[in-house]
Amino acid sequence: NAHVPSSNATCMALPTNQPIAPTRNTERMRTENLEQAFHPLYHYAVITDAEEGLILVNVDTLADGEPRNNRLTRAVTWNAGGVMRGARHITLAGHYAYIAADAGLVVVDLDDPLHPRHVTTVPLTDVRASAMQFRYLFVTDATGVRVLDVTDMARPTVIEGAHVPLADARRLYVARTYLYVAAKGQGLAIIDVERPRSPRLFQTVTFDGQMNDAEDVIVASTNASLFAYVADGRNGLKVIQLTSPDSQRNFYGFSPEPRPELIAWARTRSPALALSKGLDRDRAVDETGHQIAVTGRLGSRPFTRPEMERMFRGRDGAVFRVTDDVRMDDWIAGRQ
């Protein structure tokens, strides 16, 4: 019964992949722990369907420890004006959804989950997928990878010149200062995004043609090593070690340069097209300032969105940028 039928489901996202129980976030518990209320979106899985649009499913039943009541049903189906036609990928950032569809990159506000609201559409050609980090959204389309400024999360803007051409870029994953792109016949493309407004192609790897149908990539760490898991289409699953004590002596650094090594692979019964995301560790708040987890001390809630913005916006609302002629201690004194 843990199944929701639809016409052509293409992607699914959760507000968090941490183990949470929104139903325990009661008023009494919030009063005792001095924590914030969970946002209503945390009750739902959000699904894209190429024909039906956006589908929300309440998944609270999966958190109550009782497997016999795991019956799932739709909470809402939404496709206002057909804007979701051809929906094929979704990225959730707080209560905003960035959706790849025929019309382009569609931005949907899910602040009221049962009443989705179309905010805007960025007209990109054949959008495939997106990945979010801080104030930037990385998007693959027919031309390669583009970078959008999402400082105003409801109004993404394409950054002129922030573009890396790729022949057939598919899904992607951003990890600190590197962006990993499943690039079909080009294998895995690694892009340096330390300066997100000036991305540059670091390298592409196919391992002498052994990885030539890449559809999706997920990056995760295990102990002291970093791995990329690649859905390599007709070739199955590939496991790539990106850093290790043997290959990269700076493996303990913040964002060590990747040294890709193909270490394992497995055939799949049908083409491998997508992968599920691993666990984001040590994350207590989402991009719009909604609390995910209690941070271990009474009353130690995470920052709200306005509090976050005070760390990167000046009093005039402009985004702060350090230049060579501005000393950091002078800037701090000015902020105080």
Side-chain angles (χ1 to χ4, degrees):
N1 294 320
H3 171 248
V4 177
S6 75
S7 300
N8 186 8
T10 51
C11 191
M12 186 278 293
L14 296 167
T16 178
N17 53 11
Q18 294 186 51
I20 61 171
T23 54
R24 297 182 187 178
N25 187 241
T26 62
E27 184 175 353
R28 182 180 67 83
M29 291 296 292
R30 292 196 299 272
T31 301
E32 291 178 359
N33 295 338
L34 304 180
E35 60 183 282
Q36 295 169 244
F38 270 28
H39 189 275
L41 185 58
Y42 282 79
H43 297 289
Y44 299 96
V46 187
I47 301 154
T48 55
D49 187 286
E51 297 177 29
E52 297 188 57
L54 202 63
I55 300 169
L56 272 72
V57 175
N58 190 304
V59 292
D60 284 348
T61 185
L62 302 178
D64 65 4
E66 172 52 80
R68 291 171 295 182
N69 64 3
N70 289 350
R71 298 177 180 85
L72 301 177
T73 58
R74 297 182 188 216
V76 68
T77 304
W78 179 86
N79 190 9
V83 70
M84 294 290 297
R85 185 177 298 111
R88 44 194 170 265
H89 185 267
I90 180 171
T91 292
L92 284 180
H95 61 253
Y96 287 101
Y98 301 99
I99 298 161
D102 290 348
L105 182 74
V106 180
V107 183
V108 178
D109 186 348
L110 294 171
D111 199 20
D112 181 354
L114 298 184
H115 299 91
R117 182 175 65 89
H118 175 222
V119 179
T120 190
T121 298
V122 182
L124 298 174
T125 303
D126 189 14
V127 182
R128 281 88 184 274
S130 63
M132 176 87 166
Q133 183 167 266
F134 190 34
R135 295 191 299 107
Y136 298 97
L137 188 72
F138 302 91
V139 178
T140 53
D141 67 5
T143 69
V145 176
R146 296 188 181 276
V147 185
L148 280 66
D149 186 323
V150 287
T151 304
D152 180 349
M153 297 183 65
R155 295 282 184 271
T157 57
V158 177
I159 301 171
E160 288 298 323
H163 178 238
V164 176
L166 290 171
D168 197 0
R170 299 301 175 105
R171 296 189 178 189
L172 66 169
Y173 193 97
V174 60
R176 296 185 177 174
T177 64
Y178 291 95
L179 177 69
Y180 300 86
V181 184
K184 209 58 175 166
Q186 289 179 272
L188 180 67
I190 304 175
I191 298 173
D192 184 337
V193 292
E194 183 175 2
R195 299 179 181 273
R197 291 177 172 269
S198 303
R200 64 178 184 87
L201 183 63
F202 176 70
Q203 69 178 127
T204 57
V205 289
T206 65
F207 303 104
D208 297 322
Q210 295 181 81
M211 187 171 66
N212 56 22
D213 196 28
E215 293 275 1
D216 195 4
V217 56
I218 296 293
V219 172
S221 61
T222 303
N223 196 9
S225 298
L226 192 68
F227 297 88
Y229 301 88
V230 178
D232 193 24
R234 60 181 178 273
N235 303 312
L237 175 70
K238 295 289 198 308
V239 182
I240 301 165
Q241 187 154 0
L242 297 170
T243 63
S244 72
D246 293 331
S247 69
Q248 170 57 280
R249 68 175 188 169
N250 297 318
F251 65 97
Y252 272 134
F254 169 72
S255 186
E257 182 181 287
R259 306 280 173 82
E261 300 174 83
L262 180 61
I263 62 168
W265 57 89
R267 294 284 183 182
T268 48
R269 293 184 179 180
S270 57
L273 303 178
L275 292 158
S276 60
K277 186 179 178 181
L279 177 66
D280 286 329
R281 294 184 57 193
D282 305 324
R283 191 177 191 221
V285 67
D286 66 27
E287 289 81 358
T288 44
H290 304 307
Q291 182 167 327
I292 298 173
V294 180
T295 54
R297 295 182 181 178
L298 188 66
S300 56
R301 63 163 179 80
F303 288 145
T304 63
R305 179 68 187 192
E307 289 168 339
M308 291 182 204
E309 293 198 359
R310 288 173 58 190
M311 301 178 72
F312 60 84
R313 287 187 187 273
R315 293 188 181 92
D316 59 356
V319 174
F320 172 72
R321 288 187 174 86
V322 176
T323 59
D324 291 339
D325 58 350
V326 175
R327 293 178 57 198
M328 182 59 72
D329 53 354
D330 292 338
W331 175 76
I332 293 171
R335 293 280 288 186
Q336 291 174 342

